[in-house]
Amino acid sequence: MTKVRAIGHRIPMDSAADPRVLVVDDDPALAEVVARYLRREGFEVDYAADGATGLQRALSTLPDLVVLDLMMPGMDGFEVCRRLRRATAVPVVMLTARGEENDRIAGLDLGADDYVTKPFSPRELAARVRAVLRRAAAEAAPAPLLTGGGVEVDTVAHRVSRRGAPVTLTTKEYDLLVCFLTSPGRAFRREELLETVWGWSIGDTSTVTVHVRRLREKIEDDASAPRHLTTVRGVGYRWEP
Amino acid sequence: MTKVRAIGHRIPMDSAADPRVLVVDDDPALAEVVARYLRREGFEVDYAADGATGLQRALSTLPDLVVLDLMMPGMDGFEVCRRLRRATAVPVVMLTARGEENDRIAGLDLGADDYVTKPFSPRELAARVRAVLRRAAAEAAPAPLLTGGGVEVDTVAHRVSRRGAPVTLTTKEYDLLVCFLTSPGRAFRREELLETVWGWSIGDTSTVTVHVRRLREKIEDDASAPRHLTTVRGVGYRWEP
DNA sequence: TCCGAGACTTTCGCATACCGTAAGAATCGT
DNA sequence: ACGATTCTTACGGTATGCGAAAGTCTCGGA
């Protein structure tokens, strides 16, 4: 995972309950419309009528997302967003007036995840809210990792690390490692590896030997006394977790 | 395209033809004025004189947008809008009498995308119609806001900036960047990019190489030592946030 | 309709990292 | 101790990615 989310942010997908949205707007009529629509769309909606209240509510209830009006008396949307960002990573959707280009840019700078320009339809807002939540969930979802013996392989990012430290492998080394990690403890014959990793049905098995050696050099503490990628004499190699 | 729209709703931007608008109003004189103006503004206009007919027509012809009078004998605008929403996602612009605040709220609540209070100028209505169509098209677009590594992409405005400074990208460069930013950290094979961005199943992958290079030239501090758009040797490229 | 600018694609040469082979050294099992 | 197996190292060929530039394509203006 690349980005660390701040403490306390609930991830909607993880919970069975509906995603909770906090709407902060000084126009009660608008907020009411928005809230009703969002509720019908399956969100649990809370409401605050000004910036200070909204901030406090957000920090205490930790909603899944905050809909934030930009122009408010007292503490405006900018300020709320900024303070919110200090403590949490809760996604924010800004409501801005049409054509406030500068405000939009500044809003992005402050870490708003999306913006909707007034006038907007509740349907549009709901769509944006859903999209942002989807993105946030995807971002928080950890990448599937192959692990074993202090080695981690992120097959999505195509990245390898050993005790947290990044390791650069060549294609063949990578394929070999993945092969071993998907079947830890299993002994692979050289011919088998040649078939699986190289796609050869016949060939010089010393090729495997050399690549295993190179792989050991990168992921073992002591390549001449391997503890994970061990030799099975007369057969081939095996990964010890 | 990431989002599936409700059945049968044409997306105006996708079609070369003029957007089709259905006007539903029980006042033929008013409808005639509106229709004529909208036609001159480049819309294809259909007309229905009452709610029931309008609903049926909307469901059968699937226009790009419906202009709906609120007060009608028989089935009123509320009811039409509600039933329309059950089956389609077609945008709706409501025509309401002045000062009917409750109606306005209820209309939006039912999923209307905008409202115009009577009396209105045809010009104003046309402007609203265009705005709603634009929004509807934007709503169908993928993740509206993408950021990572100091680069910001506004997919709504189709605009890219780096540390706040605007950057102009060509189409392919833009598509590439969007592709990377929607899956940061993920390693893309060249063939994959060729498939996703170019739509080719086979082709010369050096095309990707060259475009990636150009993209680096524009968004990296030092294109020869890329920090975000990195090469994954033997595989392709990856975006580091 | 023709032309030109910009965008896109293809080609080519270069530098480098990678791969496979071979040959000698070391190690293991008996 | 001895043969078989594995390890280690070195080296040349090759694939890969990069950079530059020439060759197409497309679209808008004259």
Side-chain angles (χ1 to χ4, degrees):
Chain A
M1 197 66 265
T2 56
K3 194 169 170 184
V4 178
R5 295 193 76 87
I7 45 106
H9 173 225
R10 282 175 65 237
I11 298 159
M13 299 315 187
D14 290 355
S15 64
D18 291 336
R20 293 178 302 133
V21 175
L22 171 64
V23 177
V24 184
D25 198 321
D26 62 321
D27 179 352
L30 181 67
E32 183 54 37
V33 174
V34 166
R36 207 179 312 165
Y37 196 89
L38 287 176
R39 284 201 185 93
R40 209 173 42 217
E41 291 282 307
F43 298 101
E44 195 177 314
V45 183
D46 194 5
Y47 167 66
D50 65 88
T53 310
L55 179 61
Q56 189 188 338
R57 190 75 59 86
L59 292 175
S60 62
T61 66
L62 295 168
D64 296 303
L65 185 143
V66 177
V67 174
L68 202 50
D69 190 19
L70 184 58
M71 299 290 272
M72 286 186 293
M75 193 186 295
D76 67 8
F78 283 162
E79 189 56 28
V80 175
C81 188
R82 193 181 303 125
R83 297 201 188 191
L84 217 44
R85 277 283 176 274
R86 284 198 200 138
T88 75
V90 56
V92 170
V93 173
M94 280 276 197
L95 304 180
T96 73
R98 181 184 296 274
E100 291 177 12
E101 187 71 6
N102 289 335
D103 290 350
R104 186 179 72 78
I105 302 274
L108 289 186
D109 275 349
L110 286 175
D113 294 78
D114 201 357
Y115 66 96
V116 180
T117 54
K118 297 180 186 178
F120 58 87
S121 66
R123 194 156 56 90
E124 183 187 0
L125 177 62
R128 293 296 179 86
V129 166
R130 258 196 307 275
V132 168
L133 280 174
R134 211 182 309 123
R135 259 193 288 154
E139 198 179 316
L145 287 180
L146 285 173
T147 59
V151 177
E152 291 170 3
V153 178
D154 183 337
T155 56
V156 175
H158 216 272
R159 214 191 303 243
V160 180
S161 61
R162 178 168 156 271
R163 300 214 196 94
V167 175
T168 55
L169 299 183
T170 71
T171 310
K172 287 285 182 287
E173 288 160 4
Y174 179 89
D175 291 346
L176 260 180
L177 181 58
V178 167
C179 184
F180 284 118
L181 281 179
T182 48
S183 298
R186 167 156 153 35
F188 290 90
R189 285 175 297 107
R190 284 186 176 67
E191 294 76 13
E192 217 173 333
L193 294 167
L194 214 53
E195 171 73 41
T196 308
V197 175
W198 276 263
W200 299 350
S201 44
I202 52 153
D204 187 354
T205 55
S206 68
T207 295
V208 177
T209 309
V210 172
H211 279 272
V212 166
R213 149 93 186 123
R214 288 180 183 143
L215 182 54
R216 279 171 172 167
E217 204 72 55
K218 293 183 179 177
I219 61 169
E220 292 278 4
D221 286 324
D222 181 2
S224 53
R227 299 187 53 231
H228 300 299
L229 187 40
T230 57
T231 302
V232 183
R233 209 176 168 77
V235 182
Y237 302 95
R238 176 178 49 207
W239 180 266
E240 316 269 1
Chain B
M1 204 91 310
T2 58
K3 192 173 165 186
V4 178
R5 294 193 67 87
I7 48 112
H9 175 225
R10 285 173 64 238
I11 298 163
M13 299 314 190
D14 290 354
S15 65
D18 291 335
R20 294 177 302 131
V21 176
L22 172 64
V23 177
V24 184
D25 199 321
D26 62 321
D27 180 351
L30 182 65
E32 183 54 37
V33 173
V34 166
R36 206 179 311 164
Y37 195 89
L38 286 176
R39 285 202 185 93
R40 206 168 49 212
E41 290 281 307
F43 298 101
E44 196 177 313
V45 183
D46 194 6
Y47 167 65
D50 64 87
T53 311
L55 179 61
Q56 189 187 339
R57 189 74 59 88
L59 294 175
S60 61
T61 66
L62 295 168
D64 296 303
L65 184 142
V66 178
V67 174
L68 202 49
D69 190 19
L70 184 58
M71 300 291 272
M72 286 186 293
M75 193 186 294
D76 67 7
F78 284 161
E79 189 57 26
V80 175
C81 186
R82 192 180 302 124
R83 297 202 187 192
L84 217 45
R85 276 285 173 273
R86 284 195 201 143
T88 75
V90 56
V92 171
V93 174
M94 281 277 199
L95 303 180
T96 73
R98 179 184 295 273
E100 293 176 9
E101 186 69 9
N102 289 336
D103 289 351
R104 174 202 147 206
I105 291 179
L108 286 179
D109 205 15
L110 283 173
D113 293 81
D114 204 352
Y115 67 97
V116 180
T117 54
K118 297 180 185 180
F120 57 87
S121 68
R123 195 156 56 87
E124 185 187 359
L125 178 61
R128 294 293 179 89
V129 166
R130 254 198 308 277
V132 169
L133 280 174
R134 210 181 313 120
R135 268 192 279 149
E139 195 184 318
L145 229 50
L146 298 167
T147 59
V151 177
E152 293 158 9
V153 177
D154 183 337
T155 59
V156 178
H158 214 270
R159 218 186 305 236
V160 180
S161 60
R162 179 168 156 272
R163 302 214 194 93
V167 176
T168 55
L169 299 183
T170 70
T171 311
K172 288 285 182 288
E173 288 160 3
Y174 179 87
D175 290 346
L176 260 179
L177 182 58
V178 167
C179 183
F180 283 118
L181 282 179
T182 48
S183 299
R186 170 154 152 35
F188 290 90
R189 284 176 296 105
R190 285 187 172 65
E191 295 76 15
E192 220 172 331
L193 293 167
L194 214 52
E195 171 73 40
T196 307
V197 175
W198 278 262
W200 299 349
S201 43
I202 52 152
D204 189 353
T205 54
S206 66
T207 297
V208 178
T209 309
V210 174
H211 280 270
V212 165
R213 172 179 131 54
R214 295 217 183 95
L215 184 54
R216 280 172 173 167
E217 208 73 55
K218 293 183 180 177
I219 61 171
E220 290 278 3
D221 287 324
D222 181 2
S224 54
R227 299 187 54 231
H228 298 300
L229 189 39
T230 57
T231 302
V232 184
R233 202 160 219 288
V235 181
Y237 301 95
R238 176 177 48 205
W239 180 267
E240 316 270 0

